[in-house]
Amino acid sequence: MLDLILKNGKIVDGSGNPWYNGDVGVKDGLIVAIGRIDQEAERVIDVERKVISPGFIDGHCHSDLMIIDHPHSEIKLQQGVTTEVVGNCGLAPAPFVREKANLLQTYVQPVLGSTTWEWPWETVGQYMDFVGRSNPSEHIATYVAHGALRIAVMGFENRPASKDEIERMKSLLEEGLRAGAIGLSIGLLYAPGSYTSREELAELCSVLPKYNGLLSTHIRGEGNNLLPSVAEVIWIAEQAGISLHISHLKAAGRANWGKALDALELVEAARARGMDVTVDVYPYAAGSTTLTTVLPPWVLEGGIEATLEAFRNKALRTRIKEELSHEQETWDNLVCSTGWSSIIISSMQTEANKSYEGKSIAEVAELRSQHPIDCMMDLLLEENGQIAIVYFHMSDDDVKQVIGYEKSLIASDSLNCEIGKPHPRTYGTFPRVFAKYVREDKVLSLEQAVRKLTSFPVQRFKLGKRGLLVPGYIADITVFDPAVIQDTATFEEPRQYPSGISKVIVAGKLTLENGTHTHKREGQLIRAQHCCTH
């Protein structure tokens, strides 16, 4: 007697091989049979020729705190997602040193959100244990985040780490890897990651080979400095002898459109030398981050309180305005490459400024009769530095190039969405892949798209026996209609669930059925099975 049989499906098994007709049988949380199944089961569901695929993997997102506050994970389950990977871009809530609590919490808040409760963990391992005890409805894996490491050891100081500080960061990294983190993530756009040299990062990464850990990177610049930034992280990985994954590869700013292909050529050249390099991409021509990322890196020294103090200083304010008014050689001035009219406010903390959500900085500046740079600084002062934005800075052709690239996987890069108007990728990434890039633009075949959302990220992030419809694998399964699957979230109305996904099964339990969450919470904390060499 099986627990569940999905009958009469179009099986897309995650390997990239052509679909075939068949049934899928599940027992005790595992796939136990595929093909024509004549056994009995507690429940038999006729999926009426819909696609049966492995559950989708969101290999790059920022749900580190949301998964604790909202363990039902309905936003992702509605998209067919059964596993998320967090701790990306150097941003994570652990390690957490209590004396530096405000520095870390204000650092991560625009991306990860905040909590109304005290964080009870200190180490990455303790954070992972806490997530596991929250009994989420989907599986979770995490990186160790470089920004959190550096804050724990040296705060927001803009200087090279001493030998002792590097050793302390190595020790914290190793603790997280031993606990089952999948690798190290770095965010070189964000202070304090932006204060770190490639040599310092290569030394820190020397810990990774022992644990077969992956280096995941938000590169230093995605605009004018795109190509040297890609070359930099390839150099770091080559020096350390490790695998490299480049997050949300893009060419930002109209002057840089077309450079995504040049960046992929750098990846191919590295692979030709024997390096293991891959990338991910989200299926939109707009990104999302925190407003402080437009600032010159020196303004972020000392954390958000020091940044706000700089805005109150007339001389420093004048210097900021001058630097933001023209291109820079040492850092990507996204204001110049994108323009204030392309930077849209997605969330505000205060009720007084809520009406600005969905408007560009240029529009708000006009409403307030201010210069856009003064408007930006004053808004950050009013919001205590916590403003999330959406950037319209990419070309559709570049996005298609990266989505179609054989060594790219697709992920959401979704941020915390407790307030405001989040980027629609939070609610729509995975259905959009099939609606736009399979059905409409024909960039990918159905089988290629499923592979990029299932077996490829599982292999890349070492997520165990999932991501393929194979007997003996964990029964994480999504059922959808490829003819009607559709994202409905828009930039104007982003909080809308998609259509066309009828069943989501997590660890053998039917967790989403016909758009309704069944309240099952079978998700697990996935710990990487590192093959230590020591």
Side-chain angles (χ1 to χ4, degrees):
M1 174 74 76
L2 302 185
D3 296 332
L4 173 67
I5 297 175
L6 300 173
K7 292 195 76 71
N8 299 321
K10 182 185 286 187
I11 295 176
V12 182
D13 66 8
S15 68
N17 291 335
W19 64 265
Y20 60 94
N21 295 319
D23 313 327
V24 176
V26 174
K27 186 172 178 62
D28 297 332
L30 300 177
I31 297 166
V32 295
I34 296 178
R36 290 300 176 194
I37 302 174
D38 296 323
Q39 291 170 260
E40 292 185 353
E42 295 279 347
R43 185 169 180 193
V44 177
I45 300 174
D46 186 345
V47 302
E48 300 173 332
R49 302 279 295 132
K50 294 184 179 69
V51 165
I52 304 174
S53 89
F56 305 147
I57 313 295
D58 192 347
H60 183 108
C61 65
H62 297 282
S63 306
D64 310 57
L65 297 175
M66 279 186 68
I67 194 64
I68 299 169
D69 276 336
H70 303 281
H72 283 91
S73 302
E74 185 153 9
I75 292 171
K76 292 299 174 66
L77 283 164
Q78 290 278 358
Q79 298 177 65
V81 173
T82 56
T83 301
E84 291 188 295
V85 178
V86 300
N88 288 286
C89 298
L91 295 151
F96 178 51
V97 176
R98 306 226 167 258
E99 308 87 79
K100 298 188 174 81
N102 187 57
L103 286 178
L104 181 62
Q105 289 173 331
T106 55
Y107 167 64
V108 303
Q109 183 177 342
V111 176
L112 306 188
S114 59
T115 60
T116 57
W117 39 272
E118 292 290 321
W119 297 356
W121 55 78
E122 293 181 358
T123 66
V124 174
Q126 288 168 354
Y127 163 77
M128 293 171 74
D129 290 343
F130 193 82
V131 170
R133 288 196 298 273
S134 71
N135 298 318
S137 287
E138 60 176 348
H139 310 298
I140 300 291
T142 188
Y143 290 98
V144 179
H146 171 249
L149 291 181
R150 211 169 199 267
I151 289 170
V153 171
M154 51 191 298
F156 274 85
E157 294 186 40
N158 184 0
R159 61 171 177 80
S162 68
K163 186 175 180 181
D164 176 64
E165 287 167 336
I166 291 174
E167 289 305 313
R168 286 159 61 195
M169 283 190 272
K170 282 183 178 180
S171 176
L172 290 171
L173 170 57
E174 193 153 12
E175 181 279 325
L177 293 169
R178 281 198 306 268
I182 62 175
L184 173 69
S185 81
I186 57 177
L188 302 184
L189 175 68
Y190 303 105
S194 58
Y195 304 146
T196 313
S197 70
R198 66 180 195 168
E199 291 79 13
E200 182 179 315
L201 288 164
E203 177 61 27
L204 182 61
C205 287
S206 66
V207 173
L208 293 175
K210 182 164 67 172
Y211 296 90
N212 197 24
L214 178 65
L215 175 64
S216 174
T217 68
H218 182 144
I219 57 178
R220 205 174 291 271
E222 296 174 327
N224 294 350
N225 289 309
L226 171 64
L227 300 182
S229 296
V230 171
E232 177 186 36
V233 294
I234 289 173
W235 183 91
I236 292 166
E238 199 159 18
Q239 291 295 306
I242 53 177
S243 299
L244 172 67
H245 185 74
I246 300 174
S247 300
H248 40 65
L249 185 68
K250 65 175 74 73
R254 184 177 292 274
N256 300 301
W257 291 358
K259 288 184 182 177
L261 195 56
D262 299 329
L264 294 178
E265 287 175 358
L266 290 176
V267 172
E268 281 298 300
R271 291 187 66 88
R273 297 196 303 273
M275 291 187 66
D276 176 12
V277 187
T278 53
V279 307
D280 67 54
V281 58
Y282 46 79
Y284 294 86
S288 185
T289 185
T290 167
L291 184 56
T292 55
T293 57
V294 308
L295 294 166
W298 63 264
V299 183
L300 303 170
E301 293 175 25
I304 196 63
E305 292 303 325
T307 299
L308 300 179
E309 200 54 46
F311 296 159
R312 299 184 184 100
N313 181 302
K314 187 175 180 180
L316 293 180
R317 195 176 177 105
T318 300
R319 180 183 168 190
I320 292 167
K321 287 182 73 171
E322 192 276 328
E323 291 190 16
L324 286 178
S325 297
H326 57 83
E327 295 284 7
Q328 301 290 324
E329 286 187 15
T330 56
W331 54 276
D332 268 354
N333 186 344
L334 295 174
V335 172
C336 279
S337 63
T338 302
W340 291 111
S341 60
S342 297
I343 300 174
I344 312 299
I345 295 168
S346 61
S347 72
M348 292 288 207
Q349 304 293 315
T350 67
E351 204 57 45
N353 288 333
K354 283 285 179 189
S355 62
Y356 297 147
E357 291 176 349
K359 292 183 171 63
S360 71
I361 296 291
E363 289 176 296
V364 176
E366 190 172 340
L367 287 170
R368 291 164 60 117
S369 301
Q370 286 185 291
H371 188 283
I373 298 176
D374 285 316
C375 177
M376 174 270 297
M377 289 189 281
D378 287 347
L379 287 174
L380 284 168
L381 280 167
E382 292 162 23
E383 298 293 311
N384 199 32
Q386 310 298 328
I387 300 176
I389 57 172
V390 170
Y391 268 127
F392 288 88
H393 58 0
M394 289 176 268
S395 95
D396 283 321
D397 286 343
D398 278 354
V399 175
K400 286 179 186 177
Q401 288 274 7
V402 184
I403 281 180
Y405 178 54
E406 185 186 12
K407 289 97 176 179
S408 76
L409 57 90
I410 301 171
S412 75
D413 193 21
S414 57
L415 313 189
N416 178 279
C417 62
E418 294 279 6
I419 59 174
K421 290 190 171 186
H423 192 300
R425 65 192 183 189
T426 305
Y427 283 76
T429 288
F430 299 87
R432 181 176 173 84
V433 172
F434 297 99
K436 180 170 174 58
Y437 295 98
V438 175
R439 204 167 61 226
E440 183 181 326
D441 293 345
K442 297 179 170 52
V443 175
L444 300 171
S445 69
L446 173 64
E447 294 86 351
Q448 287 171 329
V450 169
R451 183 188 73 87
K452 284 175 177 282
L453 302 180
T454 59
S455 67
F456 184 6
V458 167
Q459 173 188 300
R460 194 59 180 143
F461 306 128
K462 301 178 180 66
L463 301 179
K465 297 181 74 172
R466 51 175 53 81
L468 288 168
L469 297 181
V470 175
Y473 271 51
I474 295 167
D476 296 337
I477 300 169
T478 293
V479 178
F480 65 96
D481 186 336
V484 301
I485 188 170
Q486 183 70 55
D487 56 309
T488 61
T490 65
F491 288 98
E492 295 74 27
E493 297 293 338
R495 296 181 183 275
Q496 301 185 84
Y497 291 138
S499 57
I501 296 171
S502 56
K503 307 280 186 294
V504 180
I505 295 157
V506 180
K509 301 295 184 183
L510 194 57
T511 306
L512 192 84
E513 184 167 18
N514 301 324
T516 301
H517 200 301
T518 64
H519 302 293
K520 294 285 192 297
R521 290 166 66 172
E522 297 294 322
Q524 299 172 346
L525 192 287
I526 300 173
R527 298 182 191 272
Q529 300 302 305
H530 296 300
C531 299
C532 284
T533 58
H534 63 161

